[in-house]
Amino acid sequence: MKPGKFKVNNDGDSLSATITVQPSLALKISLYLLNILLIAVIILFTIGGVGVIVLFILAFEILFIRYSIWHIYGSESITLKKDTLSYQQFYGFFKLSLKTRKINKTLRVIPFHEDFRAGSDAMKLIFESFDESNEPVNLYQTALVVSKQDYQVFMKSFKQLY
């Protein structure tokens, strides 16, 4: 996956970042065509009276539409304050619920290179804190990847906040 569009805003009390998918034209076209094909198959099988197969294809299409919307319009937003981490994912017109996690002692941001190919600088961000017994706890891991340059910009703002 190629790095998404990354925006950082530091207002002194909080740090917010938004990562947005940047799909290629080929990916957009292929996802649209596959969805149209699956919907056409559902309609044809419904007209043909093959109801059991329609249920399975319909269930698959629902999952595939969610996958398609995420890979075309998806974005995620992260907000850091001194004692909380909030995150929310957006599927185009749909928003998932805002989730907030408490930061107990300190917060670390760890870059995670999911793609180990040579020359790939795309990475996910892992936000880690510690619990009451001083054990590391993974508070959140981004679903979308960012570039090395965007990571450095984020870390500069992060160090100003913490």
Side-chain angles (χ1 to χ4, degrees), residues 4-56:
K5 187 187 298 183
F6 191 70
K7 289 187 241 172
V8 177
N9 183 22
N10 188 350
D11 65 4
D13 293 332
S14 67
L15 171 66
S16 60
T18 303
I19 309 168
T20 306
V21 172
Q22 288 190 299
S24 66
L25 182 61
L27 178 66
K28 284 183 181 180
I29 291 170
S30 63
L31 289 175
Y32 281 127
L33 288 176
L34 286 171
N35 277 296
I36 290 169
L37 176 70
L38 282 171
I39 291 170
V41 168
I42 290 170
I43 292 170
L44 288 174
F45 280 9
T46 302
I47 292 170
V50 188
V52 176
I53 295 175
V54 170
L55 292 176
F56 289 110

Side-chain angles (χ1 to χ4, degrees), residues 102-130:
K102 185 171 174 16
I103 300 169
N104 284 332
K105 297 181 180 182
T106 184
L107 181 68
R108 294 189 314 177
V109 179
I110 304 165
F112 173 69
H113 294 274
E114 187 176 62
D115 188 1
F116 295 105
R117 291 182 293 183
S120 175
D121 69 341
M123 64 184 78
K124 292 184 177 185
L125 303 178
I126 299 174
F127 296 88
E128 183 179 86
S129 184
F130 295 92

Side-chain angles (χ1 to χ4, degrees), residues 19-156:
I19 309 168
T20 306
V21 172
Q22 288 190 299
S24 66
L25 182 61
L27 178 66
K28 284 183 181 180
I29 291 170
S30 63
L31 289 175
Y32 281 127
L33 288 176
L34 286 171
N35 277 296
I36 290 169
L37 176 70
L38 282 171
I39 291 170
V41 168
I42 290 170
I43 292 170
L44 288 174
F45 280 9
T46 302
I47 292 170
V50 188
V52 176
I53 295 175
V54 170
L55 292 176
F56 289 110
I57 297 173
L58 185 62
F60 177 75
E61 174 60 13
I62 291 169
L63 295 174
F64 192 69
I65 283 178
R66 181 177 178 190
Y67 174 85
S68 299
I69 292 171
W70 175 254
H71 281 83
I72 295 173
Y73 304 108
S75 69
E76 59 185 316
S77 177
I78 304 153
T79 304
L80 293 170
K81 294 185 179 175
K82 289 285 186 189
D83 58 346
T84 60
L85 165 77
S86 301
Y87 56 92
Q88 187 173 26
Q89 294 178 338
F90 304 94
Y91 285 76
F93 304 112
F94 307 105
K95 289 182 184 179
L96 296 184
S97 62
L98 178 70
K99 296 183 180 163
T100 302
R101 306 283 305 263
K102 185 171 174 16
I103 300 169
N104 284 332
K105 297 181 180 182
T106 184
L107 181 68
R108 294 189 314 177
V109 179
I110 304 165
F112 173 69
H113 294 274
E114 187 176 62
D115 188 1
F116 295 105
R117 291 182 293 183
S120 175
D121 69 341
M123 64 184 78
K124 292 184 177 185
L125 303 178
I126 299 174
F127 296 88
E128 183 179 86
S129 184
F130 295 92
D131 62 8
E132 292 79 22
S133 59
N134 219 18
E135 294 291 323
V137 175
N138 185 352
L139 297 178
Y140 181 65
Q141 176 178 322
T142 60
L144 300 172
V145 294
V146 297
S147 69
K148 194 177 290 186
Q149 294 82 11
D150 289 336
Y151 170 72
Q152 291 169 350
V153 168
F154 178 79
M155 288 308 294
K156 184 177 179 183

